[in-house]
């Protein structure tokens, strides 16, 4: 069973003959490679020929087949910043030739280019403001897009090369978004952020069980401005509507993936807080039984991350602890952090990020992989 993996982008692998050797030297079991991904500006400190990649829009890193997207308003673009016709496919072939299994990393509902193209398909907050990066899964068009995106991202990959599929943003994104020179950090307390992350679009309002949208909007604004959370019946109805949409999106995507790749494990980026939004949306009660593992964000090295692992483990699926080696994480504190996550019940470890990691920190990959494998749940770790 794959226990320790690390994330990468196609451009990290392509053109770098030493990449596979670094993976093996770190003792990793697999690489989790982006096959569809949102916009980013990425450093490449260990690549022999480049230092920065400006991936300025969300892209499908596989061939964009016209026949698959004919008549679709929500259709992806390939990356014009890479020369390869099939960047992810070629990167996976390189890794497969080196004997390295790959988890295909598929980003679903996070796409600013499409959100700007079709704003009515995006999350709408209680002030009437759109989040263009956040496609709302209450819309059938969004779910159809995500299903086709997942299938096209995985279609025709080298037989036997895939060890799993990792689904990110299989649900609603919210007010927090790490992008576009973000200037919102610390501006709103948790209650306000939670309220600002409730989608009030027509698709979501249809699932509110007859609640008055005007009154709901008023209550959400009170939550933002006075930090007074919603009355329990209203909160229950809003959460149920969100979870219904998330369930539909996930089920449709997972069913399509399993039909295309029978027997390949599916990991869901997820958070045990049901109100969580973002790349790892809050778990719904139905979600754990429908996937093979849960990837839980554990980037803060505080003990609270271990508590997230414990809560996720209660759902009865293997927990994959998602850990960043990048700032603001303190390299000196990461070994103890990994031991705490293992002790809390994490069965797998996913490290972020092979391509972004500075050369001087490369040895940390092997150290953390060893800590995770060798830890024996000793008390006080």
């Amino acid at each position: 069973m794959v226990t320790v993996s690390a994330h990468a982008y196609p451009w990290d692998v392509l053109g770098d003959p030493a990449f596979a050797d670094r993976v093996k030297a770190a003792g990793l079991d697999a690489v989790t490679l982006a096959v569809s991904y949102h916009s980013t500006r990425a450093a490449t400190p260990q690549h022999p020929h480049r230092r920065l990649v400006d991936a300025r829009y969300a892209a499908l890193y596989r061939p964009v087949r016209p026949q698959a997207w004919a008549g679709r308003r929500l259709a992806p673009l390939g990356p014009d910043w890479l020369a390869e016709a099939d960047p992810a496919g070629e990167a996976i072939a390189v890794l497969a030739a080196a004997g390295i299994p790959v988890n295909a990393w598929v980003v679903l509902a996070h796409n600013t280019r499409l959100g700007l193209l079709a704003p009515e398909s995006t999350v709408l907050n209680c002030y009437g403001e759109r989040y263009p990066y956040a496609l709302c899964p209450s819309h059938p068009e969004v779910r159809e897009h995500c299903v086709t995106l997942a299938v096209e991202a995985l279609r025709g990959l080298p037989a036997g090369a895939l060890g799993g599929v990792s689904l990110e943003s299989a649900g609603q994104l919210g007010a927090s978004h790490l992008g576009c020179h973000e200037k919102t950090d610390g501006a709103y307390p948790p209650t306000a952020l939670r309220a600002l992350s409730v989608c009030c679009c027509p698709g979501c309002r249809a699932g509110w069980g007859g609640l008055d949208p005007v009154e709901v909007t008023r209550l959400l604004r009170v939550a933002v401005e006075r930090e007074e959370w919603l009355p329990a019946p209203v909160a229950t109805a809003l959460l149920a509507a969100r979870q219904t949409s998330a369930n539909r999106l996930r089920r449709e995507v997972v069913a399509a993936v399993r039909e295309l790749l029978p027997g390949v494990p599916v990991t869901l980026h997820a958070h045990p807080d049901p109100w969580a939004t973002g790349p790892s949306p809050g778990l719904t009660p139905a979600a754990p039984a429908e996937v093979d593992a849960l990837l839980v964000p554990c980037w803060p090295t505080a003990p609270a991350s271990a508590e997230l692992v414990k809560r996720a483990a209660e759902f009865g699926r293997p927990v994959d602890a998602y850990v960043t080696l990048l700032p603001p994480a303190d390299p000196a504190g990461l070994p103890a952090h990994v031991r705490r996550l293992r002790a809390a019940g994490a069965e797998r470890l996913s490290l972020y990020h092979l391509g972004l990691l500075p050369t001087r920190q490369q040895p940390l990959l092997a150290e953390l992989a060893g800590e995770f494998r060798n830890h024996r749940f000793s008390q006080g770790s």
Side-chain angles (χ1 to χ4, degrees):
M1 183 180 72
V2 172
T3 57
V4 183
S5 62
H7 287 62
Y9 304 128
W11 57 76
D12 297 321
V13 182
L14 299 171
D16 185 355
F19 184 89
D21 291 337
R22 290 200 300 273
V23 172
K24 293 178 179 179
L28 302 175
D29 298 302
V31 170
T32 299
L33 189 89
V35 292
S36 71
Y37 199 70
H38 55 76
S39 58
T40 190
R41 183 170 182 260
T44 57
Q46 299 192 62
H47 198 280
H49 306 302
R50 62 173 68 98
R51 284 297 173 265
L52 292 165
V53 171
D54 187 4
R56 62 189 180 282
Y57 54 80
L60 173 59
Y61 290 88
R62 304 295 320 289
V64 179
R65 302 187 308 139
Q67 62 268 39
W69 300 100
R72 305 283 188 89
R73 183 175 58 153
L74 300 184
L77 293 177
D80 66 8
W81 48 90
L82 294 178
E84 294 81 5
D86 183 4
E90 293 186 30
I92 290 171
V94 168
L95 294 170
I100 299 171
V102 174
N103 302 313
W105 179 13
V106 184
V107 175
L108 294 169
H110 184 180
N111 192 316
T112 303
R113 186 185 70 83
L114 293 182
L116 291 171
L117 179 68
E120 69 279 8
S121 70
T122 61
V123 171
L124 177 71
N125 75 15
C126 57
Y127 290 85
E129 299 161 332
R130 293 282 182 179
Y131 301 151
Y133 52 84
L135 300 179
C136 180
S138 70
H139 298 279
E141 184 181 24
V142 169
R143 299 196 298 272
E144 182 182 61
H145 166 77
C146 291
V147 169
T148 306
L149 182 67
V151 169
E152 290 298 300
L154 302 171
R155 184 189 301 276
L157 290 175
L162 289 186
V165 174
S166 185
L167 300 178
E168 180 178 315
S169 63
Q172 187 186 313
L173 281 81
S176 296
H177 178 240
L178 298 178
C180 190
H181 294 276
E182 192 73 7
K183 301 295 181 182
T184 63
D185 291 350
Y188 302 109
T191 298
L193 280 177
R194 179 169 290 186
L196 287 169
S197 297
V198 172
C199 185
C200 302
C201 77
C204 288
R205 290 202 305 265
W208 287 357
L211 292 178
D212 178 4
V214 174
E215 176 62 10
V216 171
T217 299
R218 186 190 71 80
L219 291 170
L220 286 168
R221 291 184 178 189
V222 168
V224 173
E225 296 161 10
R226 303 180 191 171
E227 298 183 53
E228 297 175 10
W229 189 231
L230 307 170
V234 175
T236 298
L238 299 188
L239 183 59
R242 178 188 291 177
Q243 291 184 335
T244 296
S245 297
N247 284 338
R248 288 173 177 165
L249 172 62
R250 184 192 62 257
R251 284 169 181 159
E252 293 172 19
V253 170
V254 170
V257 169
R258 294 200 191 284
E259 181 178 0
L260 180 69
L261 299 171
V264 174
V266 176
T267 295
L268 180 69
H269 289 235
H271 197 293
D273 178 357
W275 283 97
T277 55
S280 302
L283 274 168
T284 73
E290 298 173 6
V291 296
D292 299 289
L294 303 173
L295 186 144
V296 177
C298 299
W299 288 20
T301 54
S305 289
E307 291 303 314
L308 289 183
V309 168
K310 289 179 181 178
R311 289 170 59 188
E314 294 174 357
F315 287 92
R317 279 289 181 267
V319 174
D320 191 337
Y322 195 17
V323 172
T324 183
L325 283 65
L326 305 175
D330 176 13
L334 285 171
H337 180 53
V338 166
R339 291 194 297 270
R340 283 193 297 269
L341 298 176
R342 187 75 168 103
E347 298 182 32
R348 304 175 187 177
L349 178 67
S350 284
L351 299 172
Y352 187 94
H353 177 286
L354 281 166
L356 301 172
L357 190 68
T359 303
R360 67 183 181 278
Q361 288 186 255
Q362 179 70 23
L364 189 57
L365 288 166
E367 180 181 1
L368 297 183
E371 290 284 356
F372 189 78
R373 289 196 182 95
N374 298 329
H375 185 57
R376 293 292 182 265
F377 302 96
S378 59
Q379 297 296 317
S381 295

